Amino acid sequence: MLNLEIRRPRTEDIKELNQFFRTVITDIFIKEGIGDKLEDIENEIEAKKTYLESDLESNSEKRFFLIALDGDKIIGTIEYGAASDLISKCTDNALKNLNEVGTVFVDPDYQRKGIGNLLLNKIYLTLHNKGIEEFCLDSGYISAQKIWKKKYGDPDYFL
């Protein structure tokens, strides 16, 4: 049985979160068949670290993270923030003013237990409570795209 807690990250979580990003991103790249793309793995990890720093430094004004814990262990993350430049550019600015939900990661040992759905529901509630009714999802991973398509149907934009 999980001792699950979903909460905002704290400064003392940074080291464990950075290791969590490394673990899950490396695992995803391997499962996607691109585990040899070491530079891309490092770039992805650094991007997530930067998003986390932006959240903590701006007091959640620029990015907003939630983490899932089983006891003291971080087992999942989700965040939202302004849509990326890539999304804006590739949609001819159609999504420029939307928030983007991303960084939905679940520890490989905890996948398929509903943790991603719990995080997603919690971020929906957070967005709703802030008056944000429309957002976009970002996923470059084939495995995540399958999940989103199953949940929401075909995307409006596929880059």
Side-chain angles (χ1 to χ4, degrees):
M1 187 96 190
L2 295 179
N3 180 17
L4 191 66
E5 175 187 8
I6 296 176
R7 66 166 169 80
R8 296 271 298 125
R10 302 176 186 136
T11 304
E12 59 267 22
D13 297 319
I14 292 173
K15 185 176 180 180
E16 185 179 353
L17 271 166
N18 288 339
Q19 183 56 50
F20 175 80
F21 293 144
R22 179 164 301 285
T23 298
V24 295
I25 290 169
T26 300
D27 181 69
I28 291 167
F29 271 65
I30 290 168
K31 287 177 179 172
E32 296 275 322
I34 54 174
D36 60 333
K37 305 257 183 210
L38 300 180
E39 187 175 337
D40 291 344
I41 291 171
E42 290 304 319
N43 289 340
E44 184 77 2
I45 292 166
E46 287 306 313
K48 300 314 174 192
K49 287 179 178 182
T50 300
Y51 282 173
L52 178 62
E53 287 172 21
S54 179
D55 175 352
L56 295 172
E57 288 173 2
S58 73
N59 196 29
S60 76
E61 291 298 315
K62 293 185 179 176
R63 302 308 282 192
F64 182 94
F65 267 83
L66 291 173
I67 60 174
L69 299 102
D70 180 15
D72 293 340
K73 181 181 180 179
I74 296 172
I75 60 169
T77 61
I78 193 167
E79 60 84 27
Y80 79 86
S84 70
D85 290 339
L86 178 64
I87 287 175
S88 295
K89 180 180 175 186
C90 293
T91 62
D92 200 26
N93 291 322
L95 305 178
K96 180 181 179 180
N97 296 319
L98 291 183
N99 283 291
E100 164 191 353
V101 173
T103 315
V104 183
F105 294 132
V106 176
D107 182 294
D109 294 336
Y110 289 81
Q111 292 175 0
R112 303 202 185 290
K113 296 182 180 191
I115 295 161
N117 282 326
L118 287 171
L119 285 165
L120 200 54
N121 288 337
K122 187 73 170 178
I123 210 83
Y124 288 162
L125 190 58
T126 300
L127 290 165
H128 178 76
N129 288 339
K130 292 183 177 205
I132 301 167
E133 298 296 329
E134 190 175 16
F135 56 89
C136 59
L137 297 169
D138 174 25
S139 178
Y141 304 119
I142 293 168
S143 55
Q145 290 169 6
K146 288 178 184 176
I147 293 168
W148 295 137
K149 282 181 183 179
K150 186 176 178 181
K151 249 183 175 346
Y152 304 112
D154 288 332
D156 292 332
Y157 295 91
F158 188 79
L159 313 176

